[in-house]
Structure formats: structure tokens, C-alpha cells
Amino acid sequence: MAKLTAGRATAEATRRYTERFKGRLADGNFRALGRGPLSSTVGLGTYLGPEDGATDVMYQDAALHALELGVNVLDTAVNYRHQRSERAIRTALATAIGRGVAARDEIVVATKGGFIPFDGAVPRDPRGYFSSTYLETGIIKPGDVARGAHCMTPRYLRDQIDRSRANLGLETLDVYYVHNPETQLGEVDRAEFMNRVRAVFGALEEAVAAGSIARYGTATWTGYRVDPSDPGYLSLPEIVAIASEVGGRDHHFEVVQLPYNLGMPEAFTRANQRVKDRTVPMLEAARQLGVTVMASASVHQGQLTRNLPPLITELIPGLTSDAQRALQFVRSTPGIGTALVGMKSAAHVEENAKVGAAPPMPWEQFQRLFSAAGG
């Protein structure tokens, strides 16, 4: 592995980063991530886009510009654009650190592992690639893969952590998510699934001890939003209990990611998590359990960037676009730490970063907006 940049995001360093934006960004624009650093309420995502050099450069420039404007959360995954998104972030980080835009310990870098990635592009022989890269090396064994694309054994995720570290050029990953673990529930029963989670969390606690990652969590699409009767349902209290069992009271399961936006409000509205003797929505469960929530799909992959009802515009004054209003809704929701949004152009970075100049909506205003939005 090539030389990696040492360090990780820290509370002290990220506080120093926030000080540089005093007067430009509003109070409340940075929030604690678990027991560690401060993270901006808007973060840059890197999911969409073709697997080509032009898109690589767009993400590199966007990530660098975001760091210049007070956005210090960069979110990616090893399978995004066949590892190219992670590699684009590596270039952006090297440039930002080299130019003094931000220090390594001021930047929160999150990535994910679970879906089996190609390397830069779809190979001519996908089966041959999978066999030579994972089966013949013993990284994956027959029976480890769910739905033909997902693996979460300790052996596999150790390999994926090292791939992500190399792709990102970082000695320590600030957040490492198990990516859509509910994918496994389509093929194994719940007892076996929980055994797999337990084994994975043990490996991730070891990765924390080794300095490869700083904290871990789960990034999901449906798991935490559906009813308990759904076959793909995930119980956050059960997941946290496994982390406590494996890692003790000071375990490092500190963050989850799930979709939340004006059109997908279930994390705030659907009471589906049983905490102690009450059934509460996901965001309330996370608050009680001390878990930070990062919202993905904050503008619903572009669907909420235009044609919002006029009443939404009226109830979120001081902003100039529907994209900004959609982000303001998410970052103002009690329990949300960071609203992630894909950004590939300087114009989009500037538009979204401006939301940080506005304070999050007070509770009374948020309630009126939520009611108007049909919540």
C-alpha cells in the first residue's frame, strides 16, 4: 500500500476549522459526530455519475470547493462509480491539504463497504474478475455472498477497509459504514443475520483498535424506515445492543445513515423502533441511544430541487432556491446531524453551501413547515 496520510478528524481540529467561518456561517452549522469531531450540517455525496475521467475531475473540484466554503463532510463508498469516487476524493484531499485549505484532522471522511465493487470500470469478464480478485484469494468463500452482490464477513470487510484506505490515501477512515446490511435478510434468517452483524462488529472494533477506522455504523436504504413486520426491517436498539455486547460501553457504533427528505420523512414520522417501553421514530431512537444520524438523498436525487409548493417557499424565507429549501428542511429536523447531497459542479457547491449561512429553523417554524408539507 502506498504511503497514507496520517491523522483523523478530531474535536479540537474541527473546532478550529469552524472558527475560520465565523461571520460567514451561522451558529448551529456544525454538530458533534458521535463522541468526536464537529461535522457540517451539509455534506458532499459522491454516488451518482458515469465512470469517466470528466466526472472524476468534477468530483475532485467540487470536494475541494466544498472544503473552501465550510463543508467538511465528504461521503463516499468503495462501490460508488467502481471505486472512482473514493479515488476522486483522495485527489481532492491531497490538494486541499497541500494548499492549506484544510488539514487532515479538520475533515470528516466517511465511506462504506458491503457491495462487491469493480475496479474502475465493468470488466469484460465480470465472473472472471470476481473469481480472481475474491474467490481464488480466499477473501470471499462460497456462501458468503447475498443476492449476488453483497458480502459482510469480517474477512471481506477487512479487505474492503484496506482498499478504501488506499483509494482515499488515508491511514484512518473517520466513519466506516456497513453498506445496506438489510440486503442479507433476503437470503438468511434473522438469527443468522444477527450472528453476522455480531461478527462484523467484532472485526470493526478491531479495526478501530488498529487505527484503520475511527468509528463505524450502518448506512441503509430501507432497513430503519420500514415497519417491524417487513422482512428487511432493522431494529436500531438491537443493533446497538450487539455493538455493546461486542465492544462494551465504549463501543464505536456511533453513526447511521438513511434517506430522509421532504418526500421520505419516515425517520421522523414512523414510530417503528422499540426503545425501552416505547415505540418511537428512528430519529428519536437514535437520540436516546446516542447515535448520530446522517441523512442521505436530502434532495431526493434532484427531485426536490425544483417545483416545490409555493407554501414551502413562504415558510422557508431567506433562501433562493428549492434545493436550498429542501436542505434547510433536512438540516433543521431534530436528530439530523448532516444532510448529504451529491455535488459535482462549483455552482451546486456554492448554492448548497450557502444554506450554512442560515441558522437551522427553530422548532416552531419547523413544525409549521412540516405540517404544510403533509407530515
Side-chain angles (χ1 to χ4, degrees):
M1 189 181 295
K3 183 172 173 58
L4 304 177
T5 300
R8 65 184 72 187
T10 67
E12 179 182 2
T14 50
R15 189 170 295 109
R16 182 177 67 231
Y17 179 83
T18 70
E19 290 292 330
R20 298 207 292 276
F21 297 93
K22 284 274 181 152
R24 285 189 281 168
L25 299 178
D27 291 342
N29 187 59
F30 292 91
R31 295 167 184 165
L33 170 60
R35 301 187 295 270
L38 297 176
S39 58
S40 52
T41 55
V42 173
L44 181 141
T46 60
Y47 173 48
L48 297 176
E51 299 85 24
D52 58 28
T55 307
D56 294 344
V57 172
M58 291 175 74
Y59 271 131
Q60 292 164 18
D61 292 346
L64 176 61
H65 199 33
L67 292 168
E68 292 172 334
L69 297 178
V71 173
N72 77 328
V73 177
L74 306 179
D75 181 85
T76 189
V78 71
N79 66 304
Y80 286 177
R81 303 175 51 254
H82 308 323
Q83 304 188 55
R84 298 181 75 124
S85 286
E86 284 190 333
R87 293 164 185 169
I89 294 298
R90 176 184 62 199
T91 301
L93 290 170
T95 303
I97 295 167
R99 293 182 184 175
V101 171
R104 164 65 190 103
D105 54 6
E106 297 174 340
I107 307 166
V108 176
V109 181
T111 193
K112 315 173 189 74
F115 290 108
I116 299 167
F118 293 131
D119 191 350
V122 178
R124 290 184 179 180
D125 179 8
R127 287 180 179 271
Y129 167 83
F130 172 72
S131 180
S132 62
T133 304
Y134 293 107
L135 286 180
E136 294 172 15
T137 56
I139 295 168
I140 292 177
K141 295 183 178 179
D144 287 347
V145 179
R147 298 192 180 182
H150 192 273
C151 184
M152 50 182 265
T153 65
R155 183 189 314 104
Y156 173 72
L157 287 183
R158 287 188 194 102
D159 171 82
Q160 296 297 285
I161 287 170
D162 284 343
R163 287 176 196 266
S164 289
R165 291 168 65 221
N167 285 342
L168 289 159
L170 299 178
E171 192 172 278
T172 304
L173 307 172
D174 297 299
V175 180
Y176 193 79
Y177 296 109
V178 182
H179 201 177
N180 288 19
E182 65 267 42
T183 305
Q184 300 271 322
L185 283 167
E187 296 198 1
V188 301
D189 63 27
R190 194 161 290 272
E192 171 60 19
F193 174 76
M194 289 303 182
N195 286 334
R196 292 184 179 191
V197 171
R198 186 173 291 105
V200 167
F201 285 5
L204 293 176
E205 289 289 347
E206 291 173 2
V208 172
S212 298
I213 65 175
R215 61 191 55 78
Y216 63 94
T218 47
T220 69
W221 188 253
T222 58
Y224 292 126
R225 298 187 298 119
V226 296
D227 289 327
S229 60
D230 191 285
Y233 169 77
L234 294 178
S235 163
L236 183 64
E238 289 181 11
I239 296 292
V240 172
I242 290 175
S244 297
E245 176 188 327
V246 170
R249 291 183 59 184
D250 294 328
H251 65 82
H252 294 85
F253 183 96
E254 298 179 31
V255 57
V256 296
Q257 185 182 127
L258 76 167
Y260 177 76
N261 56 55
L262 279 163
M264 302 168 72
E266 298 89 354
F268 185 72
T269 61
R270 177 172 287 163
N272 67 348
Q273 299 288 326
R274 189 76 176 173
V275 183
K276 298 178 181 175
D277 58 348
R278 294 179 59 227
T279 302
V280 298
M282 177 63 184
L283 291 178
E284 174 59 19
R287 186 192 69 79
Q288 291 189 36
L289 294 165
V291 176
T292 296
V293 178
M294 290 199 181
S296 60
S298 297
V299 298
H300 211 330
Q301 296 181 354
Q303 296 180 49
L304 299 173
T305 60
R306 63 189 75 84
N307 302 320
L308 292 182
L311 188 57
I312 301 292
T313 302
E314 179 184 327
L315 290 172
I316 308 182
L319 298 171
T320 59
S321 72
D322 281 347
Q324 290 177 341
R325 296 178 189 104
L327 281 174
Q328 178 70 329
F329 167 80
V330 175
R331 71 192 281 269
S332 299
T333 302
I336 294 292
T338 295
L340 298 168
V341 58
M343 298 184 242
K344 294 195 297 287
S345 74
H348 284 157
V349 172
E350 289 168 9
E351 178 183 5
N352 296 329
K354 284 177 182 175
V355 177
M361 291 182 288
W363 171 239
E364 296 77 12
Q365 183 185 353
F366 176 82
Q367 285 181 301
R368 289 196 298 273
L369 171 65
F370 197 83
S371 298

